[in-house]
Amino acid sequence: MTVAIAPSEESAARPDAPDPEVSRDARDFGAYARTGGWTFALKVARSVRPGGQSAEETPKVSAKEFAELAGCSPERVMRYYRAWDKAADDGLVPLFEALAPGEDIELPDADVWHTYYVARSSASSERGTAIAEAAQAEGIRPTKALEVAENPTALRAAILADPSTAQAARHALLDRLKEDPALQTELARDIARTDDLKKAVATESRAADRIGYVRQIAEKGQIKTPAGQTLDAPAELRSEAERHLSLLDELEEGEDTGEWAAEAYDTMKNMVVETVQADPELRVQERRTKFYSSLQKATKVFEELTFDDADDIYEDDMVQQLEELQQAIGTCIAALRGAAPKE
């Protein structure tokens, strides 16, 4: 039944005054705009008796009875109840026991409401609680994050259609990978099974290795020669590495680093070779290091050979190649002995 409200004398005296019903709606809207869900939470807090309090102690009713009077579910009433309870624990609003039915108080700002209220029942689960906490840490309303979590198809559609959403998803996924070994394994497996992704990973790994080579020179002041020697970098070479590194660091996030990394790497490699060639002592040491490296590799290969099954694998050309190798080794030994210092 609609109750007619008589217009005030002031509004009756002004022919252009808004309808009283309109004015009342505007006032109610303004109150809600300022306080948001607190308006309805107060109605619950001052009318629903808190747990442990009997019906004889208070005129308040149970959440179930209040819901029946309101024509909604008890769960919905309890979501407002819990929001008020959390805010009361923080000292933002009075405790339930301090409120009487019909009592009005000054309410917090609407912006604070979503810090305490979660509209979805999924928020009560362990998963929902984790999502809500993460949302608050990011400075967004938990309801937004829960809505996305409950509709992964919509999330997929947004990622597929919108580059900025895809970027946000990529950053979030990378952050999660740091603490989720199982997800790391699954993602690595997906990449290994996708040819295009494997090629992209190989390309980026090569670029990262090249940047690492330049960074080693610029930040640690060390160079690695083609033969594997680690030496202190000359000042000129280190300065050039720092210049290239600063250019690489200034690239935009989405910009391709491959070409820049290749140029910096090639420049550094050439300068390292020139540095070795310009120093006679270094040049000799480089040849000596290279010789030792090759000798160690060859020795390791022969140490791994076994001849228990020589009868099964024997072929004439094997013996021939070994004889030729033996002659080459003999020549090498003779050359080294001839170059040995005379006592």
Side-chain angles (χ1 to χ4, degrees):
M1 180 177 69
T2 304
V3 179
I5 299 178
S8 65
E9 294 181 4
E10 182 180 355
S11 61
R14 291 166 44 205
D16 60 340
D19 184 278
E21 294 289 347
V22 174
S23 296
R24 186 177 67 178
D25 284 347
R27 286 194 300 272
D28 290 346
F29 179 83
Y32 184 78
R34 289 190 298 274
T35 61
W38 295 113
T39 301
F40 300 114
L42 173 61
K43 297 180 186 299
V44 172
R46 69 191 184 189
S47 300
V48 174
R49 62 175 179 264
Q53 194 172 41
S54 66
E56 289 75 19
E57 298 178 57
T58 175
K60 297 181 180 183
V61 298
S62 67
K64 181 179 180 181
E65 189 176 348
F66 186 87
E68 290 173 353
L69 292 170
C72 67
S73 68
E75 289 79 14
R76 183 173 179 84
V77 172
M78 287 306 298
R79 287 200 289 272
Y80 282 85
Y81 182 96
R82 283 191 289 269
W84 190 277
D85 192 29
K86 293 177 184 176
D89 287 342
D90 289 346
L92 195 66
V93 295
L95 297 172
F96 295 103
E97 294 81 358
L99 295 170
E103 181 180 357
D104 283 323
I105 64 168
E106 185 175 348
L107 295 171
D109 291 338
D111 293 343
V112 189
W113 171 245
H114 288 288
T115 303
Y116 297 95
Y117 178 77
V118 179
R120 300 176 181 274
S121 60
S122 63
S124 60
S125 66
E126 183 177 348
R127 173 176 177 266
T129 300
I131 293 172
E133 290 176 353
Q136 291 178 1
E138 293 290 336
I140 62 173
R141 292 184 298 180
T143 50
K144 290 289 186 183
L146 287 164
E147 182 179 357
V148 172
E150 290 176 6
N151 198 343
T153 304
L155 176 61
R156 171 183 166 83
I159 292 173
L160 291 174
D162 178 40
S164 62
T165 303
Q167 284 281 27
R170 180 174 68 87
H171 288 304
L173 189 60
L174 288 174
D175 288 341
R176 183 174 178 84
L177 282 171
K178 297 173 184 176
E179 301 177 357
D180 194 335
L183 185 59
Q184 291 176 16
T185 302
E186 291 172 11
L187 186 59
R189 188 180 297 121
D190 290 338
I191 292 173
R193 292 173 179 174
T194 307
D195 288 340
D196 290 342
L197 289 178
K198 278 199 299 185
K199 292 177 182 176
V201 169
T203 299
E204 290 301 319
S205 296
R206 185 164 56 251
D209 288 342
R210 288 173 170 176
I211 293 172
Y213 179 84
V214 178
R215 192 176 300 279
Q216 175 84 4
I217 299 173
E219 296 181 354
K220 296 188 177 181
Q222 292 183 326
I223 60 174
K224 195 169 186 179
T225 68
Q229 294 187 83
T230 299
L231 309 170
D232 290 336
E236 180 184 358
L237 199 153
R238 186 172 185 177
S239 176
E240 184 67 10
E242 290 172 349
R243 186 181 72 83
H244 279 282
L245 190 61
S246 66
L247 292 173
L248 288 165
D249 289 341
E250 289 172 6
L251 294 177
E252 299 292 335
E253 183 180 350
E255 196 170 351
D256 182 16
T257 60
E259 184 177 348
W260 292 88
E263 180 182 348
Y265 178 79
D266 290 342
T267 300
M268 291 298 98
K269 291 287 284 186
N270 290 336
M271 290 187 70
V272 169
V273 171
E274 291 171 1
T275 299
V276 172
Q277 293 299 318
D279 187 327
E281 185 176 344
L282 269 182
R283 192 162 63 244
V284 171
Q285 184 60 34
E286 183 75 353
R287 291 176 59 193
R288 184 181 292 116
T289 302
K290 186 176 180 181
F291 183 89
Y292 268 118
S293 177
S294 300
L295 183 59
Q296 287 170 354
K297 290 176 183 177
T299 302
K300 185 176 181 180
V301 169
F302 272 92
E303 286 175 346
E304 292 175 353
L305 292 177
T306 59
F307 300 96
D308 298 336
D309 54 352
D311 292 342
D312 297 330
I313 66 172
Y314 172 83
E315 289 184 0
D316 290 339
D317 63 339
M318 288 184 183
V319 176
Q320 183 179 349
Q321 288 189 40
L322 284 171
E323 289 174 344
E324 292 173 355
L325 180 59
Q326 185 180 34
Q327 292 176 5
I329 292 174
T331 303
C332 180
I333 293 173
L336 288 174
R337 282 178 174 169
K342 306 299 181 184
E343 291 184 1

